[in-house]
Amino acid sequence: MLTDRMTADVLDSASHLQIIANLAVGYDNFDVDTASKKGIMLTNTPDVLTEATAELTWALMLALARQIVPSHQAILANQWKAWSPDSFLATQLTGKTLGIAGLGRIGTAVARRAPAFGMSVVAWQRQDSDGSSPDGILRLNLQEFLQRSDVISLHLPLTTATRAVVNRTWFQNMKPTAFLINTARGGLIDESALKEALDRGYLKGAALDVLNEEPQGASHPLVSHPLVLATPHIGSATSETRRAMALRAATNIVAALNDETPPDLLNAAFLPKA
Ligand code: DGY
């Protein structure tokens, strides 16, 4: 599971281990170097969760912009007294700019849905953020990306280079009306900087499906923040997708135990030659 930390200590105590098949596409829970030095195969479950995670990203974006959860809570609290021209006013997405940080499989699937909602898309990646638009999506440098985006959605892998990449500089450069969505990994965001930015009005709200330490409850300062919509790491949580992920992980394990190359082998380049 993505919740199991495959550290050097764990790997050192598993002398017969041949393969670790993550039930997730992200594999920041693996010590890739140690596993590779020990000749342990690592696999993940790409592709099969792309669409489910893109759907959740849009669900969070729409819910956040249109204040679905606070509106529902207002009804439950008997605060809906009458229709009025200025009650429950939210933000329209049509005509706005969606900023995608990380145009991999999931980021691209999120971007693909944007025209249906009348949004234009810009992107930032750590490479090629140079004003080019090979696929019609404009790559911007970080400053321009932050200044132009009305919604920023994170789709970067968590690595040592991307840990806490979303920091004070981001919040100081974002539009105060912008929303931040994270369906990738909690560790991408400096959470205390996000809390401070929300308190100071540097952005309008955040939807967080993932947190740096999971699970969390109401005592977490971001989970309980009035400008945050939090969900319990459910990006891939559809029955169709979880089944496909399980089959993919099983296929990788069966291949490895049959001395074949698992289809989703991550560390082929680092494994010692047989
Ligand atoms: C992943 O696959 O990395 C998700 O976080 C869990 O589905």
Side-chain angles (χ1 to χ4, degrees):
M1 303 299 145
L2 56 86
T3 46
D4 298 317
R5 306 251 130 234
M6 295 292 111
T7 58
D9 279 355
V10 173
L11 300 173
D12 281 341
S13 56
S15 53
H16 299 307
L17 188 57
Q18 294 178 44
I19 175 167
I20 309 175
N22 220 25
L23 190 69
V25 67
Y27 53 94
D28 47 286
N29 54 323
F30 287 171
D31 179 338
V32 178
D33 286 347
T34 305
S36 303
K37 280 185 202 126
K38 294 174 83 65
I40 300 169
M41 289 176 264
L42 302 174
T43 63
N44 65 344
T45 59
D47 303 320
V48 289
L49 46 74
T50 300
E51 304 305 325
T53 308
E55 285 180 5
L56 183 78
T57 303
W58 275 95
L60 292 175
M61 206 185 315
L62 289 158
L64 193 58
R66 296 304 304 268
Q67 301 210 49
I68 303 292
V69 175
S71 302
H72 178 63
Q73 283 165 343
I75 297 189
L76 292 177
N78 292 317
Q79 287 166 354
W80 184 27
K81 300 301 179 196
W83 185 92
S84 82
D86 57 0
S87 59
F88 304 113
L89 292 188
T91 302
Q92 179 167 305
L93 291 179
T94 305
K96 301 283 169 32
T97 299
L98 170 60
I100 306 263
L103 260 186
R105 281 175 287 242
I106 299 173
T108 303
V110 171
R112 217 176 45 238
R113 288 157 168 82
F117 291 94
M119 295 185 81
S120 52
V121 183
V122 295
W124 173 75
Q125 326 215 72
R126 288 168 0 91
Q127 326 77 24
D128 91 357
S129 289
D130 52 1
S132 64
S133 53
D135 45 13
I137 298 175
L138 184 61
R139 270 71 163 171
L140 296 175
N141 66 43
L142 186 59
Q143 176 105 353
E144 280 185 90
F145 172 78
L146 297 173
Q147 287 171 351
R148 278 177 61 167
S149 300
D150 296 296
V151 179
I152 293 180
S153 190
L154 305 180
H155 301 286
L156 298 159
L158 179 61
T159 63
T160 43
T162 61
R163 183 167 290 281
V165 67
V166 181
N167 55 21
R168 283 195 171 75
T169 309
W170 279 51
F171 302 125
Q172 282 158 1
N173 285 281
M174 279 170 70
K175 295 185 183 183
T177 50
F179 296 108
L180 176 68
I181 317 284
N182 190 5
T183 54
R185 284 290 181 270
L188 294 172
I189 299 180
D190 174 341
E191 291 184 342
S192 55
L194 173 57
K195 157 98 174 51
E196 186 185 302
L198 288 164
D199 289 342
R200 293 186 176 191
Y202 288 180
L203 71 165
K204 197 163 180 190
L208 306 174
D209 184 50
V210 284
L211 291 164
N212 197 17
E213 296 289 335
E214 299 174 357
Q216 293 292 344
S219 60
H220 189 280
L222 284 172
V223 170
S224 57
H225 198 286
L227 299 178
V228 171
L229 168 55
T231 48
H233 203 145
I234 54 170
S236 64
T238 66
S239 42
E240 296 89 342
T241 292
R242 286 286 162 83
R243 181 177 166 75
M245 288 166 69
L247 284 172
R248 191 105 179 200
T251 303
N252 284 314
I253 294 169
V254 170
L257 299 185
N258 282 334
D259 289 330
E260 290 159 13
T261 303
D264 303 311
L265 186 61
L266 293 165
N267 56 345
F270 307 104
L271 287 172
K273 300 274 179 294

